[in-house]
């Protein structure tokens, strides 16, 4: 945690190195209110001697700050972080505050892209704990629930930004 000139605690801006390791899990969920397109940004397990769960949580908090996503919880109302998402073909890009960097993810499934471009709301989450790469959907779903209940998730909705 850094202190700004007024003595208020602030996190360091997210760096390009941290962004390069972030991965996204995406899926469309049918809810009673209609479909929701989920995107969960996760960091893989720490690299020995270079990263730890503490540094990963710090970097992921900085990413969530740059996306203006508040802490999530079972009784917390999700708020809109505004038009931050662009799609070029199937590649998502998220606009970040306080940095010249953007998050650019791997191509998303066509079903996810089609749902988002048709107006399906996007729920964007940033997990503060690491997740092994290539985890199956069931493991990601359990991980998401554990992060939500343990306070290791930041969440909001984002809108498609028309460029």
């Amino acid at each position: 945690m850094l202190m700004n000139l007024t003595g208020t605690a602030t996190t360091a801006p997210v760096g390009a190195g941290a962004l390069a390791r972030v991965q996204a899990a995406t899926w469309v969920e049918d809810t009673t209110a209609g479909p929701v397109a989920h995107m969960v940004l996760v960091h893989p397990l720490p690299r020995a001697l270079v990263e730890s769960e503490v540094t990963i949580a710090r970097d992921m908090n900085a990413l969530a700050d740059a996306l203006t996503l508040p802490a999530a919880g079972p009784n917390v109302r999700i708020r809109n972080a505004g038009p931050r998402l662009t799609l070029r073909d199937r590649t998502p890009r998220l606009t970040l505050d306080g940095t010249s960097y953007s998050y650019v993810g791997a191509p998303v499934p066509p079903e996810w892209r089609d749902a988002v471009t048709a107006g399906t709301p996007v729920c964007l989450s940033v997990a503060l704990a690491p997740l092994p790469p290539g985890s199956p959907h069931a493991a990601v779903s359990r991980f998401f629930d554990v992060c939500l209940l343990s306070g290791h998730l930041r969440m909001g909705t984002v809108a498609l930004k028309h460029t």
Side-chain angles (χ1 to χ4, degrees), residues 26-143:
T26 57
W27 69 93
V28 177
E29 177 183 14
D30 288 320
T31 71
T32 56
V36 174
H38 288 273
M39 176 181 275
V40 180
L41 303 182
V42 297
H43 193 289
L45 297 175
R47 295 175 292 173
L49 305 175
V50 180
E51 298 170 318
S52 68
E53 289 194 15
V54 172
T55 62
I56 289 171
R58 180 200 64 214
D59 291 343
M60 296 306 280
N61 263 311
L63 175 57
D65 286 348
L67 291 164
T68 68
L69 300 177
N75 298 314
V76 176
R77 184 180 170 97
I78 296 174
R79 70 176 183 79
N80 189 313
R84 297 186 168 276
L85 174 67
T86 55
L87 288 169
R88 178 167 289 146
D89 189 26
R90 291 181 26 224
T91 303
R93 178 184 296 262
L94 293 165
T95 303
L96 307 176
D97 290 350
T99 181
S100 60
Y101 304 117
S102 294
Y103 170 75
V104 180
V108 294
E111 307 80 45
W112 194 88
R113 178 208 52 211
D114 293 346
V116 171
T117 56
T120 297
V122 178
C123 179
L124 177 64
S125 304
V126 174
L128 306 182
L131 177 71
S135 295
H137 180 72
V140 172
S141 183
R142 282 190 306 278
F143 171 80

Side-chain angles (χ1 to χ4, degrees), residues 1-26:
M1 190 96 25
L2 301 173
M3 300 297 267
N4 65 19
L5 294 176
T6 64
T8 307
T10 183
T11 54
V14 65
L19 281 175
R21 302 251 310 139
V22 173
Q23 301 170 357
T26 57

